[in-house]
Amino acid sequence: MLEDIIAGGASALGISLPKDAPDRYRRYFEALSEANRSFNLTAILGEDEAARLHLLDSLGLFRAAELRGRIIDVGTGGGLPGVALKIARPGLHMTLLDATEKKIAFLDGLTLRLGIPCRCVAARAEELGRTPEHREMYDFAVSRAVARLNVLAELCMPFVSVGGKFLAMKAAGSDEEISEATTAIEKLGGRLSDTQEYIIPGTDIVRRVVIVEKLASTPDAYPRRWAAINKKAL
Ligand code: SAH
């Protein structure tokens, strides 16, 4: 059962969950499955797989950093990892960002119903990252399954305040992707500080969080327009 997989998996990852978390994960999973019938929110998974591959995978981020303060989940889709993190730590100030209005409308309603209100924003990251309300306003930018690291860094780094971190969830075999992104990260004011690997409990899947520290402000030139980013990644 989902509740048991989450409870066991969280403790295997060394994460303590609040009392009401298992019930909220259950309701989140039900809402995702229901919404998936009318539009594609996330890869449709059975309950056990969703518990491991979506929820526990997201909780693995806590192994990479002590998340606190203001967090933005860039390209959150059906709410991953942001909603999973907010259920585990309701005190986090979570912003969920996605370019698709429909997904954001779903998340807005869902997070209110679950009692874990998140700020839900429908916009493109490369546009939102240029607005004073969001630029360098976050302690952490997190992201899963949105783009290659060199592109993702340009989308995410502008949101992070100096002293904050950008955490990218990647597969274990991402060495080449990481080395390819080193220059981009530096141009954006960051430094690749570390990677943290973990095994998703109950599977043999090794996942990796790429940890980037923000050392200096991102130059005004970034993020560029999507056409430019896409044409030539930094
Ligand atoms: N993070 C989720 C969803 C991954 S799918 C998960 O791991 O399950 C990628 C999502 O990123 C899609 O929902 C897409 O709408 C969003 N996305 C892609 N490019 C984006 C951009 N430039 N700005 C905002 N959202 C973007």
Side-chain angles (χ1 to χ4, degrees):
M1 221 171 76
L2 179 136
E3 286 86 339
D4 301 325
I5 293 173
I6 301 274
S11 81
L13 286 167
I15 297 154
S16 63
L17 292 177
K19 222 172 46 275
D20 42 17
D23 179 56
R24 284 187 170 133
Y25 285 122
R26 154 73 53 195
R27 290 166 64 200
Y28 175 36
F29 168 72
E30 305 281 347
L32 265 182
S33 312
E34 170 70 32
N36 247 331
R37 278 179 220 134
S38 42
F39 63 104
N40 186 32
L41 264 175
T42 179
I44 305 169
L45 296 176
E47 160 170 343
D48 293 7
E49 273 186 304
R52 296 189 178 104
L53 304 185
H54 288 328
L55 301 174
L56 290 177
D57 183 29
S58 298
L59 294 182
L61 267 182
F62 288 117
R63 313 252 323 178
E66 291 251 344
L67 295 178
R68 50 163 179 84
R70 292 169 58 111
I71 303 184
I72 185 165
D73 180 6
V74 176
T76 188
L80 296 160
V83 172
L85 300 174
K86 175 79 178 170
I87 291 175
R89 297 284 177 271
L92 295 173
H93 297 280
M94 182 65 68
T95 297
L96 303 172
L97 168 65
D98 202 278
T100 308
E101 295 261 1
K102 234 173 160 182
K103 295 180 181 178
I104 288 301
F106 164 79
L107 291 170
D108 215 359
L110 171 91
T111 55
L112 279 179
R113 271 199 321 280
L114 290 187
I116 45 151
C118 297
R119 180 159 186 204
C120 299
V121 183
R124 295 203 54 95
E126 66 276 17
E127 289 167 14
L128 200 74
R130 302 197 74 96
T131 63
E133 208 187 331
H134 294 274
R135 190 175 180 92
E136 305 200 331
M137 293 302 278
Y138 295 88
D139 300 296
F140 294 90
V142 300
S143 191
R144 184 182 88 154
V146 173
R148 272 182 88 78
L149 193 59
N150 54 1
V151 170
L152 192 63
E154 187 164 351
L155 299 181
C156 291
M157 288 292 286
F159 292 114
V160 182
S161 58
V162 174
K165 286 183 176 140
F166 157 46
L167 306 174
M169 297 174 65
K170 291 288 173 187
S174 47
D175 294 353
E176 198 188 318
E177 188 179 337
I178 295 172
S179 54
E180 177 194 89
T182 311
T183 325
I185 287 168
E186 284 168 7
K187 284 187 185 161
L188 294 159
R191 188 189 67 182
L192 187 66
S193 85
D194 203 359
T195 60
Q196 172 75 50
E197 296 194 345
Y198 59 94
I199 296 175
I200 303 176
T203 75
D204 52 12
I205 301 171
V206 183
R207 299 278 292 157
R208 172 186 276 175
V209 182
V210 180
I211 305 167
V212 176
E213 289 173 339
K214 179 115 168 201
L215 302 178
S217 270
T218 299
D220 286 344
Y222 309 119
R224 297 165 293 161
R225 290 171 176 277
W226 181 248
I229 297 175
N230 209 20
K231 193 164 159 209
K232 196 171 186 322
L234 281 176

